Amino acid sequence: MFELLQEYFAQRTNIDEASFEHICSYFKPLKAKKNEILQMKGERSKYYYFVNKGCIRLFTVNEDGEEATRYFAFEGAFGGSLPSLIRQSPAFEFVQAIEPSELMAISRDDFFHLVDTVPAVAKIYRLILEAAFITAQERIYGFQNLTALEKLRWLLNYQPRILSRLSGRMVASFLGVTPYTLSRLKAEL
Amino acid sequence: MFELLQEYFAQRTNIDEASFEHICSYFKPLKAKKNEILQMKGERSKYYYFVNKGCIRLFTVNEDGEEATRYFAFEGAFGGSLPSLIRQSPAFEFVQAIEPSELMAISRDDFFHLVDTVPAVAKIYRLILEAAFITAQERIYGFQNLTALEKLRWLLNYQPRILSRLSGRMVASFLGVTPYTLSRLKAEL
DNA sequence: CGAGGCCTTGACCGCGGTCAATGCCCGTGG
DNA sequence: CCACGGGCATTGACCGCGGTCAAGGCCTCG
């Protein structure tokens, strides 16, 4: 149950057994069906999720109904609407399971309580923020002034798993191109 | 000299006088000319900057010589290549003063030393990371699937100061459009 | 006063979006 | 077990947004 989470902490901190079990007591297991929405846009985000199995994505929908995906969390990663969790403001994005998934949920308040009281969690949170920021920053540079083909090549270099594992629709909404264009480009790779 | 920095800390923490003076002792004043490069792409970033006067920007240059700007820091804000500072890796971006500027520089090692030893700085660092991440995330969503005109309107809402204060070239490289297109769009606002 | 940078505007064109048609895969129910 | 239907990938035809290139005017600074 907690193996992946333990690995996650072990690789990033030197946490003792007791602290880790204390942390685990705050997480609740949760199964999500394919396409199940865990968090609506506009709602205040209540939970942060750790993925044991499957995949969740963060995306928004604009007024024309187009989806824009920002992030996929696979096994062994945290996922959730961090901006909403941080600011306790209405989320600007949806959280959705895009495969049948097994998740561990921790409430917003419990998470930040742990951040404030358990040094190992404070460190994890700092690492999460640093990595999230760096990823976002790479993506801004990676997409600015790039053609659709160049973005596809970028994805092939930086996050090939997204290409190989997920549907074209998902990839397209991540790259910011239409599925039509993506299909053509994959042909000429 | 340290008024703006003091304000910065006072608004975000309840720091005592002694700690603040301790912090100040690590910052060195620095004047930068217009267009002066403070940090080259490819170099390991050594300093984090606080802007007392003027403006600095973070940008990269792709193989075709096109500039893509990610961030502008005005008076009262920190600026620097955070990813390089965090990872101690070669920077993927330039840091440049785009106005005659007065800066306070703190070395990478001193900064993280303060983060690890002074709780108020640890808190500031966490706030900086949270804000940087949220800004980056808003920008990803703000730009994905938007036309050039919509991006310009977005800038007008979220960061009007960039539009009013900086040259068209700077705005264009921030929005990821050509100065030509920007000029046309401003006409039809 | 001259030079260089920047903004603007016009003409042209190519990338990628839109729409429609087709085929494939797979889950569901008769 | 097969028939049907819905979702997704692919492909073709069309076109509009925004990039490119060239020219002209203005402002700043040496």
Side-chain angles (χ1 to χ4, degrees):
Chain A
M1 176 76 86
F2 293 106
E3 297 77 16
L4 269 178
L5 191 60
Q6 182 153 33
E7 200 178 310
Y8 190 94
F9 272 81
Q11 284 174 359
R12 293 166 174 81
T13 65
N14 39 14
I15 190 174
D16 59 273
E17 189 69 24
S19 296
F20 181 69
E21 288 188 6
H22 174 62
I23 290 167
C24 287
S25 69
Y26 289 94
F27 282 86
K28 283 172 206 141
L30 176 66
K31 280 189 195 294
K33 291 182 204 138
K34 178 168 176 166
N35 295 330
E36 182 175 341
I37 299 287
L38 301 166
Q39 154 82 52
M40 293 292 288
K41 178 175 173 179
E43 278 179 1
R44 230 162 286 265
S45 194
K46 290 197 188 66
Y47 294 100
Y48 201 33
Y49 301 98
F50 182 80
V51 181
N52 261 333
K53 194 164 189 325
C55 177
I56 63 182
R57 70 160 174 156
L58 310 181
F59 71 104
T60 194
V61 177
N62 69 17
E63 55 281 359
D64 302 335
E66 295 164 334
E67 298 182 356
T69 300
R70 163 169 83 78
Y71 182 66
F72 297 102
F74 296 104
E75 289 86 359
F78 278 96
S81 182
L82 261 189
S84 175
L85 293 168
I86 291 170
R87 300 219 162 136
Q88 302 195 263
S89 58
F92 191 64
E93 57 198 351
F94 294 87
V95 179
Q96 178 188 37
I98 57 174
E99 297 176 359
S101 301
E102 296 172 19
L103 312 171
M104 310 286 302
I106 181 168
S107 79
R108 192 259 167 211
D109 292 344
D110 286 344
F111 180 73
F112 282 99
H113 169 69
L114 289 177
V115 168
D116 290 335
T117 56
V118 181
V121 179
K123 179 160 186 201
I124 289 286
Y125 181 53
R126 173 174 152 183
L127 292 174
I128 287 174
L129 281 177
E130 288 179 343
F133 167 66
I134 289 174
T135 301
Q137 183 261 12
E138 278 171 354
R139 207 178 143 181
I140 290 172
Y141 280 142
F143 282 30
Q144 186 111 347
N145 294 330
L146 291 198
T147 65
L149 182 57
E150 289 167 329
K151 289 196 237 174
L152 182 55
R153 293 219 182 89
W154 179 91
L155 191 61
L156 206 51
N157 284 333
Y158 285 81
Q159 314 206 36
R161 195 165 38 162
I162 290 178
L163 259 181
S164 57
R165 177 161 165 178
L166 303 179
S167 72
R169 254 188 73 246
M170 290 296 135
V171 175
S173 91
F174 184 77
L175 290 179
V177 302
T178 60
Y180 311 112
T181 302
L182 178 63
S183 174
R184 283 180 242 270
L185 292 180
K186 283 205 283 195
E188 71 180 80
L189 257 187
Chain B
M1 175 77 84
F2 292 106
E3 297 77 15
L4 268 180
L5 190 60
Q6 181 153 36
E7 199 178 311
Y8 190 93
F9 272 81
Q11 284 173 359
R12 293 166 174 82
T13 66
N14 39 14
I15 191 173
D16 59 275
E17 188 69 26
S19 296
F20 182 69
E21 288 188 6
H22 173 63
I23 290 167
C24 288
S25 69
Y26 288 94
F27 282 87
K28 285 172 204 137
L30 175 68
K31 280 190 197 293
K33 292 182 203 136
K34 177 168 176 168
N35 295 331
E36 184 175 339
I37 299 286
L38 301 167
Q39 154 82 51
M40 293 292 288
K41 176 176 172 176
E43 277 179 3
R44 231 162 284 266
S45 195
K46 290 197 188 65
Y47 295 100
Y48 201 33
Y49 301 98
F50 183 80
V51 181
N52 261 331
K53 194 165 189 322
C55 177
I56 64 181
R57 71 158 172 155
L58 309 182
F59 71 104
T60 193
V61 177
N62 68 16
E63 55 280 359
D64 302 336
E66 297 166 333
E67 297 181 358
T69 300
R70 164 169 82 78
Y71 183 66
F72 297 102
F74 295 104
E75 288 86 359
F78 278 96
S81 181
L82 260 190
S84 176
L85 292 167
I86 291 169
R87 300 219 162 136
Q88 302 195 266
S89 58
F92 191 66
E93 57 198 351
F94 293 87
V95 179
Q96 179 188 36
I98 57 174
E99 297 177 359
S101 300
E102 297 173 18
L103 311 171
M104 312 287 300
I106 181 168
S107 79
R108 191 259 169 213
D109 292 342
D110 287 344
F111 180 73
F112 282 100
H113 169 71
L114 289 177
V115 168
D116 291 333
T117 56
V118 181
V121 179
K123 177 157 188 200
I124 288 287
Y125 181 53
R126 172 175 155 180
L127 292 174
I128 286 174
L129 281 178
E130 289 180 341
F133 167 66
I134 290 174
T135 302
Q137 183 261 11
E138 279 172 353
R139 212 182 137 178
I140 289 173
Y141 280 141
F143 282 30
Q144 186 111 350
N145 296 330
L146 291 198
T147 66
L149 182 57
E150 289 167 329
K151 289 196 236 174
L152 181 55
R153 292 220 183 90
W154 180 91
L155 191 62
L156 206 53
N157 284 334
Y158 284 80
Q159 314 206 35
R161 196 165 39 160
I162 290 177
L163 261 181
S164 56
R165 177 161 165 179
L166 303 178
S167 73
R169 253 187 74 248
M170 290 295 133
V171 175
S173 91
F174 184 77
L175 290 180
V177 302
T178 60
Y180 311 111
T181 302
L182 179 62
S183 174
R184 282 179 243 269
L185 291 180
K186 284 206 280 195
E188 71 181 79
L189 258 186

